[in-house]
Coordinates of all heavy atoms in Angstrom, one line a residue:
A255 N 4.7 3.9 -17.4 CA 4.1 5.1 -16.7 C 5.1 6.1 -16.3 O 4.8 7.3 -16.2 CB 3.2 4.6 -15.5
W256 N 6.3 5.6 -15.9 CA 7.3 6.5 -15.4 C 7.6 7.6 -16.4 O 7.8 8.8 -16.1 CB 8.6 5.8 -15.0 CG 9.4 5.2 -16.1 CD1 9.2 4.1 -16.8 CD2 10.7 5.8 -16.5 NE1 10.2 3.9 -17.7 CE2 11.1 4.9 -17.6 CE3 11.5 6.8 -16.2 CZ2 12.4 5.1 -18.3 CZ3 12.7 7.1 -16.8 CH2 13.1 6.2 -17.9
R257 N 7.6 7.2 -17.7 CA 7.9 8.2 -18.8 C 6.7 9.1 -19.1 O 6.8 10.3 -19.3 CB 8.5 7.5 -20.0 CG 9.8 7.0 -19.8 CD 10.5 6.7 -21.1 NE 10.8 7.9 -21.8 CZ 11.9 8.0 -22.6 NH1 12.8 7.0 -22.7 NH2 12.1 9.2 -23.2
A258 N 5.5 8.4 -19.1 CA 4.3 9.1 -19.5 C 4.0 10.2 -18.4 O 3.6 11.3 -18.7 CB 3.1 8.1 -19.6
N259 N 4.2 9.8 -17.1 CA 4.0 10.8 -16.1 C 4.9 12.0 -16.2 O 4.4 13.1 -16.0 CB 4.2 10.1 -14.7 CG 3.1 9.1 -14.3 OD1 2.1 9.1 -15.0 ND2 3.3 8.5 -13.2
A260 N 6.2 11.7 -16.5 CA 7.1 12.8 -16.6 C 6.8 13.7 -17.8 O 6.9 14.9 -17.8 CB 8.5 12.3 -16.7
A261 N 6.4 13.1 -18.9 CA 6.1 13.8 -20.1 C 4.9 14.7 -19.9 O 4.9 15.9 -20.3 CB 5.8 12.8 -21.3
H262 N 3.9 14.2 -19.2 CA 2.8 15.0 -18.8 C 3.2 16.2 -18.0 O 2.8 17.4 -18.3 CB 1.7 14.2 -18.1 CG 0.6 15.0 -17.7 ND1 -0.5 15.4 -18.5 CD2 0.3 15.6 -16.4 CE1 -1.4 16.1 -17.8 NE2 -0.9 16.2 -16.6
A263 N 4.0 16.0 -17.0 CA 4.4 17.1 -16.1 C 5.2 18.1 -16.8 O 4.9 19.3 -16.6 CB 5.2 16.5 -14.9
N264 N 6.1 17.7 -17.6 CA 6.9 18.7 -18.4 C 6.0 19.5 -19.3 O 6.2 20.7 -19.5 CB 8.0 17.9 -19.2 CG 9.1 17.3 -18.4 OD1 9.1 17.4 -17.2 ND2 10.0 16.6 -19.1
A265 N 5.1 18.8 -20.0 CA 4.2 19.5 -20.9 C 3.3 20.6 -20.2 O 3.1 21.6 -20.7 CB 3.3 18.5 -21.7
C266 N 2.9 20.2 -19.0 CA 2.1 21.2 -18.2 C 2.9 22.4 -17.8 O 2.4 23.5 -17.9 CB 1.6 20.5 -16.9 SG 0.3 19.3 -17.3
A267 N 4.2 22.2 -17.5 CA 5.0 23.4 -17.1 C 5.2 24.3 -18.4 O 5.1 25.5 -18.3 CB 6.4 22.9 -16.7
R268 N 5.4 23.7 -19.5 CA 5.6 24.4 -20.8 C 4.3 25.2 -21.1 O 4.3 26.3 -21.4 CB 5.8 23.3 -21.9 CG 6.2 23.7 -23.2 CD 7.6 24.3 -23.3 NE 7.4 25.8 -23.2 CZ 8.4 26.6 -22.8 NH1 9.6 26.1 -22.4 NH2 8.2 27.9 -22.7
H269 N 3.1 24.5 -20.9 CA 1.8 25.1 -21.2 C 1.6 26.3 -20.3 O 1.2 27.4 -20.7 CB 0.8 24.0 -20.9 CG -0.6 24.5 -21.1 ND1 -1.2 24.9 -22.3 CD2 -1.6 24.7 -20.1 CE1 -2.4 25.3 -22.1 NE2 -2.7 25.2 -20.8
F270 N 1.9 26.2 -19.0 CA 1.8 27.3 -18.1 C 2.7 28.4 -18.4 O 2.2 29.6 -18.5 CB 2.0 26.8 -16.6 CG 2.0 27.9 -15.6 CD1 0.8 28.6 -15.4 CD2 3.1 28.3 -14.9 CE1 0.7 29.6 -14.5 CE2 3.0 29.3 -13.9 CZ 1.8 30.0 -13.8
A271 N 3.9 28.1 -18.7 CA 4.9 29.2 -19.0 C 4.5 30.0 -20.2 O 4.6 31.2 -20.3 CB 6.3 28.6 -19.1
D272 N 4.1 29.2 -21.2 CA 3.7 29.9 -22.5 C 2.5 30.9 -22.3 O 2.4 31.8 -23.0 CB 3.2 28.8 -23.5 CG 4.4 28.0 -24.1 OD1 5.5 28.5 -23.9 OD2 4.1 27.0 -24.7
Q273 N 1.7 30.5 -21.3 CA 0.5 31.5 -21.1 C 0.9 32.7 -20.3 O 0.1 33.7 -20.4 CB -0.6 30.7 -20.3 CG -1.3 29.6 -21.1 CD -2.5 29.2 -20.4 OE1 -3.5 29.8 -20.3 NE2 -2.4 28.0 -19.7
V274 N 1.9 32.7 -19.5 CA 2.2 33.8 -18.6 C 3.4 34.6 -18.9 O 3.7 35.7 -18.4 CB 2.2 33.4 -17.1 CG1 0.9 32.7 -16.7 CG2 3.3 32.4 -16.9
A275 N 4.2 34.0 -19.9 CA 5.6 34.7 -20.1 C 5.5 36.1 -20.5 O 6.3 36.9 -20.2 CB 6.3 33.9 -21.2
D276 N 4.4 36.5 -21.2 CA 4.3 37.8 -21.8 C 3.5 38.8 -20.9 O 3.3 39.9 -21.3 CB 3.7 37.8 -23.2 CG 4.7 37.1 -24.2 OD1 5.9 37.1 -23.9 OD2 4.1 36.5 -25.2
L277 N 3.1 38.4 -19.8 CA 2.3 39.3 -19.0 C 3.1 40.4 -18.4 O 4.3 40.2 -18.1 CB 1.6 38.5 -17.8 CG 0.6 37.4 -18.2 CD1 0.1 36.7 -17.0 CD2 -0.5 38.0 -19.0
P278 N 2.6 41.6 -18.3 CA 3.4 42.7 -17.8 C 3.9 42.5 -16.4 O 3.1 42.0 -15.5 CB 2.4 43.9 -17.8 CG 1.0 43.3 -18.0 CD 1.2 42.0 -18.6
G279 N 5.2 42.7 -16.2 CA 5.8 42.6 -14.8 C 6.1 41.1 -14.5 O 6.7 40.9 -13.5
V280 N 5.8 40.2 -15.4 CA 6.1 38.8 -15.1 C 7.4 38.3 -15.9 O 7.4 38.6 -17.1 CB 4.9 37.9 -15.5 CG1 5.3 36.4 -15.4 CG2 3.7 38.2 -14.7
E281 N 8.3 37.7 -15.2 CA 9.5 37.3 -15.9 C 9.7 35.8 -15.6 O 9.7 35.4 -14.4 CB 10.7 38.1 -15.4 CG 11.9 37.8 -16.2 CD 13.2 38.4 -15.4 OE1 13.0 39.4 -14.7 OE2 14.2 37.7 -15.5
V282 N 9.8 35.0 -16.6 CA 10.2 33.5 -16.4 C 11.7 33.5 -16.1 O 12.5 33.9 -16.9 CB 9.8 32.7 -17.6 CG1 10.2 31.2 -17.4 CG2 8.3 32.8 -17.9
Q283 N 12.0 33.1 -14.8 CA 13.4 33.3 -14.3 C 14.4 32.3 -14.9 O 15.5 32.7 -15.1 CB 13.4 33.3 -12.8 CG 14.6 34.1 -12.3 CD 14.8 33.9 -10.8 OE1 14.0 33.4 -10.1 NE2 15.9 34.4 -10.3
F284 N 13.9 31.1 -15.2 CA 14.9 30.1 -15.7 C 14.2 29.4 -16.9 O 13.0 29.3 -16.9 CB 15.1 29.0 -14.6 CG 15.7 29.6 -13.3 CD1 14.9 29.8 -12.2 CD2 17.1 29.9 -13.3 CE1 15.5 30.3 -11.0 CE2 17.6 30.4 -12.1 CZ 16.8 30.6 -11.0
P285 N 15.0 29.0 -17.8 CA 14.5 28.3 -19.0 C 13.6 27.1 -18.5 O 14.1 26.4 -17.5 CB 15.7 27.8 -19.7 CG 16.8 28.6 -19.3 CD 16.5 29.1 -17.9
V286 N 12.5 26.8 -19.1 CA 11.6 25.8 -18.7 C 12.0 24.5 -19.4 O 11.7 24.3 -20.6 CB 10.1 26.1 -18.9 CG1 9.2 24.9 -18.5 CG2 9.8 27.4 -18.0
E287 N 12.7 23.6 -18.7 CA 13.3 22.4 -19.4 C 12.8 21.1 -18.8 O 13.0 20.0 -19.3 CB 14.8 22.4 -19.4 CG 15.4 23.6 -20.2 CD 16.9 23.8 -20.0 OE1 17.5 23.0 -19.2 OE2 17.4 24.7 -20.7
A288 N 12.0 21.3 -17.7 CA 11.5 20.1 -17.0 C 10.1 20.4 -16.5 O 9.3 20.9 -17.3 CB 12.4 19.6 -15.9
N289 N 9.8 20.2 -15.2 CA 8.4 20.4 -14.8 C 8.3 21.6 -13.8 O 7.3 21.6 -13.0 CB 7.9 19.1 -14.1 CG 8.6 18.7 -12.8 OD1 9.8 18.9 -12.7 ND2 8.0 18.1 -11.9
A290 N 9.3 22.5 -13.8 CA 9.2 23.6 -12.9 C 9.1 24.9 -13.7 O 9.7 25.0 -14.8 CB 10.5 23.7 -12.1
V291 N 8.4 25.9 -13.1 CA 8.3 27.2 -13.7 C 8.6 28.2 -12.6 O 7.8 28.2 -11.6 CB 7.0 27.5 -14.4 CG1 6.9 29.0 -14.9 CG2 6.7 26.5 -15.5
F292 N 9.6 29.0 -12.7 CA 9.9 30.0 -11.7 C 9.5 31.4 -12.3 O 10.0 31.8 -13.3 CB 11.4 30.0 -11.4 CG 11.8 28.8 -10.5 CD1 11.9 27.6 -11.0 CD2 12.0 29.0 -9.1 CE1 12.3 26.5 -10.2 CE2 12.4 28.0 -8.3 CZ 12.6 26.7 -8.9

Side-chain angles (χ1 to χ4, degrees):
W256 72 285
R257 290 198 68 146
N259 285 355
H262 174 81
N264 289 359
C266 286
R268 189 69 267 154
H269 175 69
F270 176 61
D272 286 347
Q273 290 192 74
V274 300
D276 293 335
L277 296 179
V280 173
E281 186 197 327
V282 180
Q283 204 189 351
F284 300 102
V286 177
E287 297 173 354
N289 65 328
V291 178
F292 285 76

